[in-house]
Amino acid sequence: AQSVAQPEDQVNVAEGNPLTVKCTYSVSGNPYLFWYVQYPNRGLQFLLKYITGDNLVKGSYGFEAEFNKSQTSFHLKKPSALVSDSALYFCAVRDNGGYNKLIFGAGTRLAVHP
Amino acid sequence: ETGVTQSPTHLIKTRGQQVTLRCSSQSGHNTVSWYQQALGQGPQFIFQYYREEENGRGNFPPRFSGLQFPNYSSELNVNALELDDSALYLCASSLESSVETQYFGPGTRLLVL
């Protein structure tokens, strides 16, 4: 079965430090991978996606993600965290069942401390 | 902010009632998907519509149904509400040319008492 795992419920980082939010996936075939962010009482905002090409994908708000096929990982990174980055982050993979279903992880809460 | 809007923002219903949630897709987006996000969990796919036809469905019972209209707006209908239906319901739309990228609305929070 296709799935996404986000092993950390919460990540704490000091403002200005680099951050990493981890994601691993299990999918048959070539994966389409996504990161979304959710602020309180809001919907999901698209950050970035990997379909093919360069393993390092750049997205919105200074975020980037590194696709690693051998480790089946797609970790989200940012060189310097901001307090305003504090939110809930979801990794997702597209189901390869023939339509556009996204399978989400359980989410990781990022807390950036001043 | 995306151009996807949803109404209402909040809703309270009692068990056994029926509810209709509405979504207006971003301009030009002809594919819409609905997701259920229970508290503390990631969104779960309910179904997807393309050109007014359902073309994919997740593990949700038939009392969850939908419609897509010619202007690409959409409805999610849930009959015989159960307590476990309490959740945030998210609508997402995408362009046919880049269908894999889904843009989400702010959601409707449904509470079933």
Side-chain angles (χ1 to χ4, degrees):
Chain A
Q2 296 164 102
S3 64
V4 171
Q6 294 182 243
E8 302 154 317
D9 290 337
Q10 179 153 331
V11 170
N12 296 295
V13 64
E15 187 176 28
N17 283 0
L19 69 87
T20 298
V21 183
K22 296 179 180 178
C23 171
T24 58
Y25 65 89
S26 174
V27 66
S28 57
N30 295 320
Y32 283 27
L33 295 159
F34 305 83
W35 276 101
Y36 285 85
V37 59
Q38 186 174 37
Y39 294 98
N41 301 313
R42 304 282 292 276
L44 275 68
Q45 293 182 31
F46 170 75
L47 280 178
L48 51 79
K49 66 182 177 184
Y50 172 84
I51 297 176
T52 187
D54 194 349
N55 289 344
L56 186 63
V57 178
K58 294 191 181 298
S60 305
Y61 313 119
F63 284 94
E64 56 190 26
E66 186 168 12
F67 171 67
N68 187 317
K69 187 173 184 178
S70 62
Q71 297 185 4
T72 61
S73 67
F74 189 55
H75 300 332
L76 182 69
K77 300 182 180 185
K78 188 174 183 182
S80 178
L82 300 172
V83 172
S84 58
D85 292 330
S86 299
L88 190 55
Y89 290 80
F90 289 97
C91 180
V93 64
R94 191 177 82 166
D95 189 292
N96 285 343
Y99 50 92
N100 205 32
K101 168 185 175 182
L102 290 179
I103 300 168
F104 285 87
T108 298
R109 186 163 300 281
L110 174 67
V112 181
H113 305 284
Chain B
E1 294 290 337
T2 70
V4 182
T5 60
Q6 293 186 242
S7 62
T9 55
H10 296 83
L11 202 53
I12 299 175
K13 292 284 188 179
T14 56
R15 195 171 50 181
Q17 285 188 311
Q18 179 266 342
V19 68
T20 297
L21 310 182
R22 293 178 174 83
C23 171
S24 178
S25 299
Q26 191 161 327
S27 179
H29 288 198
N30 59 6
T31 301
V32 65
S33 301
W34 285 90
Y35 290 81
Q36 180 196 66
Q37 185 180 14
L39 201 60
Q41 298 182 22
Q44 300 287 320
F45 177 80
I46 303 175
F47 45 55
Q48 178 181 287
Y49 279 79
Y50 171 66
R51 295 188 177 181
E52 303 174 54
E53 296 284 335
E54 182 182 303
N55 70 343
R57 190 175 184 92
N59 295 325
F60 282 81
R63 59 189 185 83
F64 285 78
S65 63
L67 284 172
Q68 186 183 29
F69 300 100
N71 66 355
Y72 303 136
S73 64
S74 175
E75 288 182 354
L76 165 65
N77 299 290
V78 187
N79 294 321
L81 283 167
E82 301 177 359
L83 298 180
D84 285 349
D85 295 334
S86 295
L88 180 68
Y89 288 85
L90 296 163
C91 164
S93 70
S94 53
L95 273 170
E96 186 168 5
S97 60
S98 180
V99 70
E100 73 282 348
T101 303
Q102 299 183 35
Y103 296 93
F104 285 80
T108 293
R109 188 163 296 282
L110 172 65
L111 178 61
V112 182
L113 302 176

